[in-house]
Amino acid sequence: MLLKINPLKPESKLIKIAADAIKSGELVAFPTETVYGLGADALNEAACSKIFAAKGRPQDNPLIVHVDSIKMAESIGEIPKEYRQILNEIWPSPITVIIKKRPILPDSATASLDTVAVRIPAHPIALALIKEANTPIAAPSANLSGKPSPTEAKTIIEELGEKVAVIIDGGPTFFGLESTVIDLDSFTILRPGPFTPEEIAKKFGKNPKVYVAPKNVQKPISPGLKYRHYAPDKSLFLFSGKPTELAKISNGLDKNFCIIGSNELCDSIYNKRALKIRLGARDNSYEIAKNLFSAIRSVDKYEIEFGICETFSDNGIGLAIMNRLGKACGGNAFSNIDQLKKLIKINHI
Ligand code: TXA
Ligand code: MG
C-alpha cells in the first residue's frame, strides 16, 4: 500500500495506518531527514528478520534503531552519563550513536552484537510514526543490499515493491546521505554523514577519530563497512586531480561514458560521447550530497560503457560525499589518461 503523507504536517489518520502495520509486525518504508528507511518493530524478532529477507541483507549487519525520545533510547541501550545532556540537545538530528544494548532487543535487530545503533530522526513523519506505534523502529536504508540508499519513494516501489506492506511517500529526503554513525566508547566516526566532524567536535567538546578501513580486514568494527556498497552495475572511476585536467581527458575520450560532476565541470565538457550527470554547483556541497545517490543509480539506465566521477573537497559534509563516492567507485581511482586506459582495460570495457 502506498500512502502519500505531508512531510511537514503528517495526517494523523494516515500515520495511524502505517503505525498499525508496524505494530502487527509488518514492514513500513518511511522518510527520514537523511534517506528512506525500511522499518519494523525493533522489539519483534520476526518483524526484524523480514527486513533482512526483503533487502537481501547479510545477517551479520545490524540495524539502526529509531526512537522518538531519550527515554525510549534508554529503554533499549545504555547512554553513558557524560553524553546524556549533549544528546538531549543535539537530537533529533542525523547522528547515530553506538551504545551498549539492553537484553530487551532481539538478536536480529543488532546482529547478535552487544551494542546497538540508535538515533532520533529529524523528520516529522518518522517521529509521528514512532510515537503512534509507541515502539522503537529498526530501520536500515530502504534499498536492496549494496545499492545506494533511496531518497524518494518511487525508488523503493521499483526496488522492493510488494515486499513492503506500506510505503510512505513523504517527498524527497532533506540531506540525501545517511546519518553519521559514531561509536561513543572509542569516540570514532564509523560512517561520516551530514552531522560533520566539525559539528561533533563543537557539540561534544572533543575531536572525534575518523575510522579508515584497513585493506582486507575480516572483522571491521562496523559490520556494514566490509560490504560492497553504493556501486551501480557499470564501472565507475574516480578522478583524483583538478577538474580542468578531467575536462581535458574527457573531451579526448573515444568511448560512450558518463560524467558525474559539478555544473562547472559539466559546462567545460563538449565531447558528444560524454553524458553529463549534474550534481549541482561545486561550492554547494549540500546540493551535491542531495543529488548524489540518484545520480549513481541513474548510471545503469544509460547506454554508456562506464562513468567518471569528480573529486570534491572533504570539508564538512564533503567527507561523507567522498566516502560514498569512494565506495561507489570500488577503489578505482586515476589521476591521468594512462591510468584511466589501464582501468578501462582491467574492467574489460
Ligand atoms: O540515515 C540513516 O542512518 C538511515 C536512516 C533510515 O536512518 N539508516 C541507515 O541504516 O543508513 P543502514 O542499516 O543502511 O546503515 C547502518 C550502519 C551499517 O553500516 C551498520 O553496520 C552500522 O550502521 N551499525 C549498526 N549497528 C551497529 C553496531 N552495533 N556497531 C557498529 N555499527 C553498527
Ligand atoms: Mg544502508
Side-chain angles (χ1 to χ4, degrees), residues 70-71 73-74 78-93 95 97 120 184 195 202-205:
I70 291 276
K71 194 169 158 227
E74 286 186 319
E78 295 172 25
I79 297 177
K81 253 206 213 98
E82 72 260 42
Y83 296 127
R84 196 175 186 280
Q85 186 51 33
I86 298 166
L87 289 175
N88 199 23
E89 274 167 31
I90 64 176
W91 270 340
S93 57
I95 184 167
V97 298
I120 303 184
L184 286 184
F195 206 102
K202 201 166 146 212
K203 299 288 183 192
F204 287 78

Side-chain angles (χ1 to χ4, degrees), residues 32 34-38 55 57 61-64 66 96 98 110 113 115-117 119 139-141 143 149 177-179 181 190-191 221-225 229:
T32 77
T34 56
V35 298
Y36 274 77
L38 182 62
K55 279 180 62 92
R57 186 179 177 95
N61 195 3
L63 310 173
I64 292 180
H66 298 68
T96 298
I98 308 292
T110 61
L113 294 179
T115 51
V116 59
R119 81 181 194 99
S141 49
N143 50 278
S149 304
L177 293 182
E178 309 88 342
S179 66
V181 177
L190 302 180
R191 178 178 73 183
I221 40 179
S222 187
L225 295 170
H229 234 113

